[in-house]
Amino acid sequence: MIDRNTEIGKETEACLKTDFLSRFGSVEDMKTALIRTMLHTIGKDPSEASTRDWFYTFARLLRGVLSQRHIKTARNHYKNGSKKVYYLSMEYLMGRSLNKVLLDLGIEELAARAMEDFGLSLNDIKEIEFDAALGNGGLGRLAACFLDSLATHNYPGFGYGIRYEYGIFTQDIKNGQQVEHPENWLRYGNPWEVERPDILYPVHFGGRISCFKNAHGAQECHWVDTEEVMAMAFDVPISGYGTNTVGNLRLWSSRATRDFNLRYFNEGDYEDAVREKTSSENLSKVLYPNDKTQLGKELRLKQEFFFVSASLQDIIARHLRYHDSLDDLPDLTSMQLNDTHPALAVPELMRLLMDVHNYTFEAAWAICVRTFSYTNHTLLSEALETWPINMMSNLLPRHLDLIFKINDEFLRKIRHTFPGDPAILRRLSLIDDDRHAVRMAHLSIVGSHKVNGVAALHTQLLRSNMFPDFDRLYPDKFINMTNGITPRRWLLQSNPGLSTLISEHIGNDWMRDLSQLTRLAPMADDAAFRERFIAIKRENKVRLGNWLQERFNTTINVDSLFDMQVKRIHEYKRQLLNVLHVITLYNRMCENPAGHHAARTIFFAGKAAPGYDMAKLIIHLINDVAETVNNNPVVSEKLKILFVPNYSVSQAEILIPASDLSEQISTAGTEASGTGNMKFALNGALTIGTLDGANIEIKEEVGGDNIFIFGMNAEEVQSLRMSGYDPWARYNENAELKRCLDMIGSGYFSPDDQGRYRPIVDSLLRGGDHYMLLADYASYVQCQETVARAHRDTHDWARRAILNVVHMGKFSADRTIHDYAREIWNIHQIES
């Protein structure tokens, strides 16, 4: 009798030895492979295929290459017995995949020529793809960059998240206001994912705790009488650049334990028949549901637990497939908590170890702490997650019980370390007794062996201001990991002109080692190189202008200074300070139309959270100011304001390469790092910013002469706040500022509703101006005048911009991942 497993194994090994990509090494091979895929997989006559059909044909064909390589990668990892890292994140802002995969595999030119032979445009096919709606801001984009770097540098790393059916939302602007629509990115399906209906885990909510003495006389507790939701896996392969290694992002979709109640259905009660299915599947509908209501808060808590519970069950199942026990889990597994959204992984791992695998509390806790590490992404105390005890008691009673137990043990040690200091117990406790809530950041710190900030200043402020008691207790736990971006997405893919110029002079090694860019430094003084650089920047501006004309019927002056602030809308990011400068420029131009005013186009883009009323009001103000400025013939030739709706990764790939000036103007001490600042600088934009987040390190790398710094530093902000900051004094002593605020407050920009923006003015003057816009206004305006003067010298501006590009090596996600691998995860590169 034939040994089926042996025969399957032999045939599989034979297939894996021949890389699928080798089957289309020429244009003719590529054309044949595409036609066969169209016929066999898409089921469409190629002569009648739409552009969308061709996109899905490419995606299916390339997914086959990636799937084969992923299987080979996974086999290699397990054969080596290597330690792996699992990245737990609520967000992955992936962008489009087709262009990335073609570049990673080195076949973009081949694909373009094949399409040209068919009379089609590869660029048109790329444009069909929706951005994957799995994230919102910098946290999600960072996670996507990290997955790319892990695969590119052959690390055994994998991501876990949620497969959001409708993303966060599609942003439309109607009458100047943000309007949210479902982000239906899956309407045509996602051709990159592989559905895994056989990988299904139960996730429990509610119920009660049942405790009893076991046969050994020890107390056991179990979580019983729960409601159950199923988590089903979808796998997205993650290609690396110039390597056969392919990682994986496993996303969970919620499913009901049964589709509908047949008895209700037969009785004609059709709503109740599907009520359980609808309720269960809401868990993976939307990223960050509006949590202004109790039901919204509960849904968000359930989302966070759903994702970590399914992920941990899967990680444990993977481990036990190859190992006899979980004793060595920390030696073979590292789990990174990307902010506090996955913090419930700490008590969930404890529950699984104790209740399912029969570990004692002490043994389970030792495994837990050695396994987890935690990245903090905020310096805003109000942004640190807490969950009400009564909500956790109703939804996750066993986990709340374990958190209480962890807290009791933790505080017992604190009493021994700091005897006679009850105040420190209150500050360090995992429970906020005043708010009757669980502090998720505290839980993450206590449950992890390493805690990292994401920029040098951020880490310093975490240790000194936000968590000083934890730093005293765990002096070796806190570590800095300055964020980075992938140069493949943010230079090679988004700025092909500049990439070609760089490669002509230093070769292609920079694509995997961004520090190689320093070899270009002498070219900043080469006039011919600067001319090429200037021409490429203008081409990128023309590309953006054409895109705006096509999408929004908007024309722009491509020879103006392109001034951009594109990021999530939040008060601390101070889009409002930028608006005050816009109004200042407008007033100056109106008063002196014949003056020497440099032409400037100011771009805003970004989404406001659905429940964040002030951020949405700021968007409305930006659009009302734009309406006034853009329609005034006195200034419209010199000043134009644009709010670009529905900001996304794909939009960023068009906007950022065209930018001259990058606005990174958050209040010092509020931005953890930022990565937009890195993307802009890498693409040759100069930064105007405060000494906040990674701006400080960018200044150190590029030099103080090649960045525009204004305003207070973090210490000065704190000092002014402590001494009694009076925004009224700034208002009364600066005539231009006073005029701006009076125009906003009196309805100059909203004649149909003169009181529309009183809340904004009141927040600044009567609400204390928490983010100190008025304190930094004069310095900001003066710095912008310096920018305008500097931009007049085209070649000197280009020289500075080139020096920004060549000194961005530190800010590669590759460098960040090497640091994580060495200093936190203890994982090693494995060639596939």
Side-chain angles (χ1 to χ4, degrees):
M1 178 179 285
I2 295 174
D3 185 333
R4 181 170 173 268
N5 287 331
T6 301
E7 288 302 310
I8 290 173
K10 284 160 63 174
E11 290 297 322
T12 304
E13 284 295 334
C15 279
L16 291 176
K17 283 179 181 177
T18 304
D19 190 61
F20 188 36
L21 187 63
S22 64
R23 297 185 184 180
F24 37 98
S26 68
V27 173
E28 291 305 316
D29 291 340
M30 173 68 81
K31 288 155 60 177
T32 300
L34 287 166
I35 294 295
R36 285 177 175 170
T37 303
M38 177 79 77
L39 292 169
H40 299 162
T41 305
I42 307 302
K44 195 79 176 275
D45 185 335
S47 63
E48 298 177 357
S50 66
T51 306
R52 187 174 305 282
D53 292 326
W54 284 108
F55 161 67
Y56 278 83
T57 298
F58 262 112
R60 293 293 189 187
L61 177 64
L62 297 176
R63 194 188 75 180
V65 176
L66 300 185
S67 293
Q68 182 193 31
R69 290 187 175 186
H70 173 62
I71 290 168
K72 189 173 181 180
T73 298
R75 284 187 169 207
N76 199 27
H77 290 167
Y78 285 109
K79 182 179 72 177
N80 279 275
S82 55
K83 186 176 184 181
K84 303 162 190 65
V85 63
Y86 297 102
Y87 200 79
L88 306 182
S89 179
M90 283 286 283
E91 293 188 44
Y92 292 91
L93 200 57
M94 306 298 288
R96 294 169 174 164
S97 293
L98 178 56
N99 200 25
K100 168 184 161 49
V101 174
L102 289 171
L103 287 169
D104 286 345
L105 298 178
I107 58 171
E108 186 191 29
E109 184 180 347
L110 200 67
R113 288 166 57 196
M115 288 297 98
E116 190 177 329
D117 283 0
F118 286 154
L120 299 167
S121 164
L122 180 60
N123 285 334
D124 290 345
I125 293 168
K126 291 175 184 176
E127 286 296 314
I128 286 292
E129 185 174 7
F130 285 99
D131 278 38
L134 301 171
N136 177 37
L139 180 141
R141 185 53 233 173
L142 181 76
C145 285
F146 280 4
L147 293 186
D148 173 81
S149 290
L150 283 164
T152 295
H153 291 280
N154 305 308
Y155 284 110
F158 309 92
Y160 279 102
I162 294 179
R163 181 182 182 265
Y164 301 105
E165 189 174 343
Y166 294 107
I168 185 164
F169 59 84
T170 294
Q171 181 193 58
D172 196 8
I173 300 296
K174 294 292 186 185
N175 300 317
Q177 299 181 73
Q178 172 177 292
V179 179
E180 300 104 21
H181 302 289
E183 193 170 7
N184 193 9
W185 70 289
L186 290 171
R187 70 184 67 174
Y188 300 109
N190 178 9
W192 301 104
E193 70 185 10
V194 180
E195 185 175 352
R196 305 288 191 193
D198 56 319
I199 300 178
L200 202 65
Y201 295 102
V203 178
H204 303 273
F205 296 100
R208 60 186 178 84
I209 306 168
S210 174
C211 296
F212 55 89
K213 294 278 181 137
N214 63 21
H216 303 289
Q219 179 170 278
E220 278 190 29
C221 292
H222 290 274
W223 191 15
V224 299
D225 300 335
T226 59
E227 298 174 3
E228 190 173 88
V229 175
M230 304 306 293
M232 190 172 82
F234 287 77
D235 285 348
V236 181
I238 306 296
S239 56
Y241 180 79
T243 177
N244 289 336
T245 295
V246 173
N248 191 59
L249 171 60
R250 177 157 288 178
L251 301 171
W252 300 108
S253 180
S254 56
R255 296 287 189 268
T257 51
R258 56 184 179 180
D259 283 343
F260 67 96
N261 187 304
L262 186 60
R263 180 173 66 83
Y264 286 158
F265 188 86
N266 288 335
E267 291 173 357
D269 191 348
Y270 304 125
E271 288 188 9
D272 276 348
V274 296
R275 189 179 305 278
E276 180 183 339
K277 173 181 171 62
T278 302
S279 175
S280 297
E281 296 184 358
N282 279 341
L283 287 180
S284 56
K285 290 288 185 190
V286 177
L287 168 65
Y288 300 147
N290 189 341
D291 58 2
K292 291 178 74 172
T293 67
Q294 181 74 6
L295 287 176
K297 286 185 175 70
E298 287 186 3
L299 178 56
R300 189 155 171 175
L301 176 60
K302 291 175 78 172
Q303 270 190 339
E304 292 184 3
F305 179 70
F306 165 79
F307 139 63
V308 299
S309 178
S311 301
L312 288 178
Q313 290 180 70
D314 193 50
I315 291 168
I316 287 174
R318 287 176 189 243
H319 183 88
L320 292 177
R321 199 177 305 145
Y322 297 94
H323 305 279
D324 294 331
S325 84
L326 295 169
D327 293 355
D328 56 357
L329 183 70
D331 300 318
L332 295 166
T333 300
S334 184
M335 300 187 210
Q336 187 72 32
L337 307 177
N338 192 27
D339 215 353
T340 54
H341 309 130
L344 286 167
V346 175
E348 174 65 352
L349 182 56
M350 291 292 290
R351 181 189 74 84
L352 291 169
L353 290 172
M354 294 171 63
D355 297 1
V356 179
H357 297 282
N358 301 315
Y359 280 81
T360 65
F361 176 89
E362 293 74 17
W365 185 244
I367 290 172
C368 184
V369 173
R370 290 177 58 211
T371 300
F372 287 118
S373 46
Y374 158 54
T375 300
N376 175 281
H377 282 280
T378 185
L379 286 166
L380 305 179
S381 56
E382 64 270 24
L384 293 176
E385 272 193 316
T386 61
W387 289 109
I389 287 174
N390 61 351
M391 186 184 294
M392 288 200 68
S393 178
N394 290 332
L395 292 177
L396 301 168
R398 178 58 173 147
H399 298 77
L400 182 62
D401 179 60
L402 286 166
I403 289 169
F404 285 150
K405 173 70 171 172
I406 293 166
N407 197 45
D408 287 344
E409 291 297 313
F410 172 60
L411 293 182
R412 182 176 59 80
K413 294 177 182 177
I414 299 303
R415 290 187 188 95
H416 293 155
T417 307
F418 302 103
D421 188 357
I424 199 171
L425 297 177
R426 289 193 298 273
R427 294 195 300 269
L428 289 177
S429 175
L430 309 189
I431 308 300
D432 185 334
D433 289 327
D434 295 330
R435 299 170 62 188
H436 304 288
V438 179
R439 296 163 164 162
M440 305 311 284
H442 288 209
L443 176 62
S444 301
I445 293 170
V446 173
S448 299
H449 67 280
K450 286 291 182 183
V451 176
N452 73 278
V454 290
L457 175 65
H458 173 226
T459 304
Q460 174 192 326
L461 293 175
L462 282 183
R463 302 181 74 162
S464 61
N465 292 7
M466 185 161 276
F467 302 120
D469 295 319
F470 279 112
D471 188 50
R472 286 171 60 201
L473 183 66
Y474 304 124
D476 298 324
K477 183 172 281 198
F478 287 84
I479 188 172
N480 180 55
M481 292 283 143
T482 296
N483 279 345
I485 59 173
T486 169
R488 275 78 60 185
R489 170 78 63 172
W490 297 112
L491 187 51
L492 178 63
Q493 181 173 326
S494 63
N495 201 339
L498 182 54
S499 298
T500 299
L501 178 63
I502 292 169
S503 293
E504 285 175 5
H505 286 81
I506 63 170
N508 294 328
D509 288 351
W510 64 268
M511 298 172 190
R512 290 171 57 92
D513 178 8
L514 202 60
S515 67
Q516 294 288 326
L517 291 182
T518 56
R519 294 164 54 199
L520 273 176
M523 303 309 297
D525 295 318
D526 183 288
F529 187 89
R530 290 199 303 269
E531 285 288 356
R532 289 276 307 280
F533 185 88
I534 292 166
I536 290 164
K537 177 65 73 173
R538 195 177 192 282
E539 289 167 7
N540 290 333
K541 294 167 91 167
V542 169
R543 178 180 67 162
L544 173 57
N546 292 338
W547 181 79
L548 290 168
Q549 178 68 48
E550 181 183 330
R551 291 291 183 92
F552 306 109
N553 195 29
T554 297
T555 58
I556 55 175
N557 176 6
V558 297
D559 294 313
S560 64
L561 185 152
F562 279 18
D563 177 346
M564 296 191 185
Q565 189 174 19
V566 293
K567 56 183 68 205
R568 181 167 54 95
I569 309 297
H570 196 290
E571 288 167 276
Y572 86 85
K573 293 179 183 289
R574 300 204 296 190
Q575 283 90 354
L576 190 53
L577 179 59
N578 194 344
V579 173
L580 292 175
H581 175 245
V582 170
I583 298 171
T584 302
L585 286 179
Y586 174 74
N587 289 336
R588 289 177 178 181
M589 290 180 181
C590 288
E591 288 177 351
N592 183 18
H596 186 77
H597 304 293
R600 188 184 293 234
T601 305
I602 301 175
F603 297 80
F604 294 88
K607 296 179 180 180
Y612 193 172
D613 294 334
M614 182 58 75
K616 294 170 82 169
L617 190 61
I618 289 170
I619 290 176
H620 200 173
L621 175 62
I622 291 169
N623 284 294
D624 274 349
V625 170
E627 181 74 14
T628 300
V629 171
N630 297 346
N631 288 289
N632 186 333
V634 175
V635 305
S636 59
E637 292 298 313
K638 292 289 188 179
L639 183 63
K640 185 156 190 172
I641 318 302
L642 293 175
F643 187 96
V644 183
N646 203 39
Y647 185 54
S648 64
V649 173
S650 295
Q651 282 193 11
E653 291 171 11
I654 299 172
L655 286 162
I656 290 173
S659 178
D660 295 305
L661 187 68
S662 162
E663 299 269 355
Q664 308 298 331
I665 59 176
S666 54
T667 312
T670 60
E671 184 72 82
S673 169
T675 52
N677 45 11
M678 304 168 191
K679 294 161 194 162
F680 278 101
L682 182 61
N683 280 274
L686 299 188
T687 301
I688 181 168
T690 52
L691 290 172
D692 195 28
N695 291 353
I696 296 170
E697 292 163 79
I698 291 176
K699 180 189 174 191
E700 291 170 355
E701 295 297 310
V702 305
D705 292 338
N706 302 311
I707 189 170
F708 301 99
I709 297 296
F710 74 93
M712 297 176 289
N713 62 31
E715 289 181 2
E716 290 167 338
V717 167
Q718 184 67 11
S719 176
L720 180 59
R721 204 184 299 282
M722 296 297 291
S723 64
Y725 169 51
D726 179 12
W728 281 101
R730 306 302 173 106
Y731 168 81
N732 288 316
E733 69 190 18
N734 190 310
E736 285 193 309
L737 173 60
K738 184 177 187 299
R739 184 180 179 189
C740 290
L741 291 175
D742 289 347
M743 291 169 73
I744 294 170
S746 66
Y748 181 94
F749 300 105
S750 54
D752 58 322
D753 181 4
Q754 294 187 345
R756 179 179 296 159
Y757 300 116
R758 283 304 317 174
I760 288 178
V761 176
D762 287 345
S763 74
L764 298 175
L765 296 177
R766 294 179 173 82
D769 184 19
H770 182 71
Y771 295 108
M772 299 197 170
L773 283 74
L774 309 192
D776 274 346
Y777 167 83
S779 176
Y780 179 55
V781 170
Q782 185 178 25
C783 193
Q784 287 281 17
E785 293 168 359
T786 303
V787 167
R789 287 192 296 271
H791 192 251
R792 291 172 194 158
D793 187 337
T794 304
H795 268 263
D796 188 61
W797 184 277
R799 181 186 62 80
R800 297 185 189 193
I802 292 165
L803 290 173
N804 269 259
V805 173
V806 304
H807 291 298
M808 281 297 107
K810 174 180 178 178
F811 304 104
S812 169
D814 301 341
R815 188 271 313 154
T816 312
I817 285 299
H818 290 316
D819 289 349
Y820 271 102
R822 182 178 60 254
E823 299 183 44
I824 296 180
W825 301 331
N826 191 29
I827 61 173
H828 303 284
Q829 294 163 289
I830 301 171
E831 297 289 342
S832 291

